[in-house]
Amino acid sequence: MTVDKSLSTANPSTATSGSSWFAKAAIAVFVILLLLGAIPKYLQGKPPIDAIPEAPISSLQQLTEEGLSLENWTSVDRQNVRLGPNDWVMQTLTWDSNQSTEAPSDCGSRTRCDRATILMSPQRVQTGTSAQPQMEWLDVRGLGRAQGQTWTEDQYQQIEFSPSNTPGQETTVHVRYFRGRTEQRSFAIAQWYAWESGGNPSLVRWFWRDRMARIQGRRLPWVAVSLIVPIEHLSPVEAARPFIKAFAQEVHEALIEQGFTAETSSQ
């Protein structure tokens, strides 16, 4: 079994130092914000820390029943599957042949990007460990093993994009991107935790964003996303990068409109 490699291409010592600096800075900011929120309440004779608010997750649960609707794509199958310890919604898409726009052709010299699978695992509960991301990225390996084949991951990269439907916010989503393959097939795979104001494959980034949201009396519901697109066997994953970047952005924007924002507008 191939061990996951770091997304960073920097020197290990530099990457470790950067990660340590970020963690310390995040803790310092969190403590400062906590004090700023707690001191006024203490002076007013109120409890310094409010009860933890509930995350708005009801509309996210609709994803398990309806999936996502994407322009130029037709959903041909949707089912709930269990991979590892987690429950996923597996939605299979094909490029809509009725559209005048041809399917992108950057999935290999003989392979068009006309098929895709979206795996989504939305937050399902309010409390406990299951209310937090649990490193769901290991689960995708179960797809290869289910076929009785060895699963290999390589060519790790990182993709970034800025959703177009977050007006007034400078939002950057970071995506884990790599090639997954069996003995017979290869796939371009993109993974990240999506939330309304951003996204990142690191559960630590979500953790601190959620803690800062709590200070403001909010929560940050999340959806774990894995995009799986067949590519020409053993072809470099770099070839499909432009398509995957655009596709990941489309999926993220759909989650904002059909999941996160839908919850806000219904309240």
Side-chain angles (χ1 to χ4, degrees), residues 105-115 231-233 235:
S105 58
D106 40 4
C107 285
S109 60
R110 297 184 300 275
T111 305
R112 289 189 175 274
C113 305
D114 57 359
R115 292 171 295 156
I231 60 176
E232 187 173 341
H233 189 41
S235 65

Side-chain angles (χ1 to χ4, degrees), residues 31-44:
V31 171
I32 292 173
L33 292 175
L34 182 63
L35 291 176
L36 290 176
I39 291 175
K41 293 179 181 179
Y42 177 79
L43 295 178
Q44 296 172 14

Side-chain angles (χ1 to χ4, degrees), residues 71-234:
E71 185 178 2
N72 295 327
W73 292 90
T74 298
S75 180
V76 295
D77 185 55
R78 179 190 48 76
Q79 54 184 306
N80 295 325
V81 298
R82 189 164 185 84
L83 298 173
N86 300 300
D87 294 318
W88 292 84
V89 180
M90 185 167 67
Q91 184 175 2
T92 304
L93 306 172
T94 59
W95 188 263
D96 192 346
S97 58
N98 295 325
Q99 297 292 333
S100 58
T101 305
E102 291 187 358
S105 58
D106 40 4
C107 285
S109 60
R110 297 184 300 275
T111 305
R112 289 189 175 274
C113 305
D114 57 359
R115 292 171 295 156
T117 297
I118 305 177
L119 285 172
M120 296 177 291
S121 183
Q123 180 180 347
R124 287 178 165 84
V125 297
Q126 295 285 356
T127 60
T129 57
S130 297
Q132 303 178 15
Q134 300 291 318
M135 286 303 293
E136 287 83 358
W137 310 143
L138 302 179
D139 297 350
V140 71
R141 298 175 179 175
L143 294 176
R145 294 169 181 163
Q147 302 176 37
Q149 300 185 34
T150 301
W151 179 262
T152 302
E153 297 177 0
D154 56 16
Q155 299 187 6
Y156 289 89
Q157 302 178 28
Q158 187 172 29
I159 291 176
E160 297 180 5
F161 59 83
S162 297
S164 61
N165 56 350
T166 54
Q169 301 183 45
E170 294 185 3
T171 301
T172 300
V173 178
H174 301 263
V175 176
R176 180 178 186 251
Y177 179 51
F178 61 96
R179 182 178 70 179
R181 57 187 173 87
T182 64
E183 293 92 336
Q184 300 175 348
R185 304 184 66 188
S186 296
F187 306 88
I189 299 177
Q191 299 177 320
W192 74 102
Y193 293 112
W195 56 85
E196 184 179 1
S197 57
N200 200 291
S202 169
L203 59 86
V204 175
R205 298 298 178 98
W206 171 86
F207 177 86
W208 288 113
R209 293 290 185 88
D210 182 64
R211 290 307 181 273
M212 288 188 281
R214 287 188 185 186
I215 295 175
Q216 302 173 1
R218 302 183 297 106
R219 293 297 306 277
L220 206 63
W222 53 271
V223 179
V225 185
S226 286
L227 305 183
I228 305 174
V229 178
I231 60 176
E232 187 173 341
H233 189 41
L234 301 181

